[in-house]
Amino acid sequence: MTEPHERHVVFVTWKAGNAPAFEAAKRLGHQVTLIRSLLMEQSQNIDFDTCPYARFVDRVHVLKDATDPGALRACVRAVHEERPVDGFIASVDALVVPVARVAEELGVPFTDAAAAEAAKQKDRCRDILAAAGVDRTRHAVVDGFEEAASFAAATGYPVVLKPARGSGSEGAHVVADERQLAEILGRAERGVYAAGILVEEYLNGRFLSAEVGLAQGRFLRLAVSERSTWYRHEALETGTTIPAGITADEHDRVMEFAEAVVGALGLRLGIFHVEVMLGADGRPRLIEVNPRIMGSCLPNLFQLAGGGDIFELLVRIHLGEPVEHDKSAFTHYATVRWFGAADAVPKPAAVPDLDWAAAEHGGSLHALTVRFPDGDTLLPCRGNLGNFGEVQVVHADRATSIRIAEDIVAGMADRLGFEVTR
């Protein structure tokens, strides 16, 4: 018999980095259902049957492709009919909007569908923020080189070129001049820019991200993180440190800005990942807003740094449960560095020995993983999906945390025998 406190939470797809949320939901005493997506799992080379968190899932439904709206809707409705859904969790970019639409149809509280759609469509997001007076970064959706060059001539180089709708830095470029602009657009795969080619003014400053929750109309300030990028391809993110090494005043200004962004869009409910450029003048500017919790291993870094279990918070928010969270009191700095091949190289026959890193850096090293993709060649990494390695470091000193992570990436490059993104 179902206990009175037990509620039904449905996760739509999963990744290795967000699987701990299953345990959080079960620890809180809830019924856990997962809707899998085989195509998504295959693309990420993850196996649910061997996932250590699979045992916390009560019911599993398998779809070939959860991004198929008809298949997802039919599956969710069947789940809801069998046992009413109290809350959905979708932490993968491609599923937030589809889940939001189905949730609205069923009357289940979730992130607002229209707002999530606007957040994902980057030009629409910027238009809304400009109308609200929150951010007026110059931008335009262009048909091709001539219009892009005209925009760049008016704003000045460099400019940022990216898909109007996309994620993972795929198809994003910082363009130095007209020659490079012509080269990029001349060889671009049209599919990457299917939703439009967005060109924006280039923003200078410190690259940060704000993690903000919104529960029952109240904002929760969770973390400001600092981001690193690769010097050869500035649009490629190479890592994060939680929390950011900024002043209390800068922290508050970034959080106030992130809350204004989320409020102007009307995202309503959830935990959101807002990427920000903090200018030398102290003014935050938007890079992009993601209507979902931070991805990859970042929730784990949040906990390693002393911020608490963000997945438990996520489950409580989406189930409408009371949430108590003051400003995060971090005790350490947690750093991740991702790396892939800088240029096309033959794939090594085997992963090099990784034990040296722990021997050199002891307890500061939390994790080091290297997993090569299928095929005989490692392609140049120009987006998040091109990474094959990850190192996580935790230390009480910010500079030391970052240095150790960067030293380990440099050591891996030496042992691999080719340059990596860093």
Side-chain angles (χ1 to χ4, degrees):
M1 185 174 182
T2 302
E3 295 294 330
H5 70 278
E6 183 185 67
R7 307 181 73 195
H8 186 200
V9 57
V10 175
F11 291 84
V12 183
T13 73
W14 71 289
K15 289 184 176 181
N18 61 36
F22 305 151
E23 187 274 334
K26 182 54 63 177
R27 182 178 358 109
L28 292 169
H30 301 308
Q31 181 83 8
V32 178
T33 294
L34 170 65
I35 298 175
R36 294 174 55 188
S37 178
L38 293 181
L39 288 180
M40 191 170 294
E41 292 174 18
Q42 290 165 5
S43 69
Q44 296 166 26
N45 194 27
I46 54 178
D47 180 8
F48 180 73
D49 293 331
T50 61
C51 172
Y53 296 96
R55 62 193 177 93
F56 299 107
V57 178
D58 299 296
R59 296 291 302 274
V60 177
H61 297 262
V62 181
L63 296 178
K64 179 180 179 181
D65 181 8
T67 63
D68 178 339
L72 177 64
R73 180 176 286 104
C75 182
V76 170
R77 286 188 173 277
V79 169
H80 189 62
E81 287 175 9
E82 181 178 335
R83 175 172 179 175
V85 178
D86 295 298
F88 289 103
I89 293 179
S91 52
V92 176
D93 277 322
L95 272 301
V96 175
V97 173
V99 171
R101 289 172 177 157
V102 176
E104 288 187 358
E105 293 172 6
L106 298 177
V108 178
F110 191 68
T111 304
D112 183 84
E117 173 68 33
K120 295 304 298 176
Q121 188 68 29
K122 295 179 174 64
D123 57 309
R124 173 67 178 142
C125 176
R126 289 211 178 277
D127 290 342
I128 291 171
L129 298 183
V134 174
D135 187 282
R136 292 191 172 88
T137 298
R138 290 173 291 178
H139 66 282
V141 175
V142 299
D143 286 334
F145 170 74
E146 295 298 333
E147 290 185 6
S150 178
F151 176 91
T155 59
Y157 286 96
V159 294
V160 177
L161 188 73
K162 63 176 69 169
R165 186 186 184 97
S167 60
S169 300
E170 300 295 329
H173 301 269
V174 175
V175 185
D177 52 38
E178 188 170 292
R179 179 200 60 76
Q180 188 182 20
L181 181 64
E183 177 187 345
I184 291 170
L185 289 177
R187 58 178 165 80
E189 296 181 12
R190 196 66 190 179
V192 176
Y193 301 103
I197 303 170
L198 180 63
V199 59
E200 302 173 340
E201 67 171 293
Y202 177 77
L203 303 178
N204 278 298
R206 293 195 65 181
F207 184 13
L208 307 169
S209 63
E211 317 306 329
V212 294
L214 181 55
Q216 300 173 335
R218 182 170 68 96
F219 279 109
L220 310 171
R221 296 184 174 183
L222 304 179
V224 176
S225 311
E226 58 186 292
R227 324 280 287 194
S228 63
T229 59
W230 187 36
Y231 75 99
R232 279 181 52 185
H233 185 66
E234 194 177 340
L236 178 65
E237 297 175 32
T238 56
T240 298
T241 296
I242 301 177
I246 56 177
T247 67
D249 178 64
E250 290 170 332
H251 175 277
D252 289 345
R253 271 186 276 125
V254 169
M255 282 298 190
E256 287 169 6
F257 176 75
E259 291 170 359
V261 168
V262 170
L265 289 169
L267 285 169
R268 187 170 64 193
L269 180 151
I271 295 179
F272 309 110
H273 176 70
V274 186
E275 296 185 359
V276 175
M277 189 67 75
L278 182 63
D281 59 359
R283 182 163 61 113
R285 305 279 294 277
L286 182 73
I287 297 176
E288 67 177 31
V289 53
N290 293 280
R292 44 98 180 141
I293 192 172
M294 54 185 164
S296 185
C297 65
L298 301 189
N300 183 53
L301 289 191
F302 178 86
Q303 187 164 13
L304 289 172
D309 187 344
I310 199 169
F311 286 125
E312 180 175 317
L313 190 63
L314 180 70
V315 172
R316 289 189 182 277
I317 288 173
H318 280 284
L319 289 176
E321 297 179 351
V323 172
E324 297 296 331
H325 185 87
D326 297 323
K327 182 178 178 181
S328 301
F330 294 106
T331 58
H332 289 74
Y333 292 88
T335 298
V336 63
R337 286 294 182 268
W338 302 292
F339 53 95
D343 304 290
V345 294
K347 186 173 76 174
V351 172
D353 174 67
L354 305 180
D355 292 341
W356 65 273
E360 288 187 16
H361 300 288
S364 297
L365 175 62
H366 177 73
L368 173 59
T369 57
V370 174
R371 185 170 60 187
F372 298 129
D374 294 335
D376 297 327
T377 301
L378 296 178
L379 299 177
C381 178
R382 298 297 183 268
N384 295 353
L385 298 179
N387 293 313
F388 60 73
E390 175 184 288
V391 56
Q392 298 177 32
V393 172
V394 185
H395 199 279
D397 178 70
R398 169 184 166 271
T400 303
S401 179
I402 294 171
R403 177 187 59 76
I404 291 174
E406 293 178 345
D407 285 352
I408 291 173
V409 174
M412 285 306 308
D414 291 341
R415 286 161 174 81
L416 288 166
F418 55 83
E419 185 55 84
V420 300
T421 56
R422 47 173 152 165

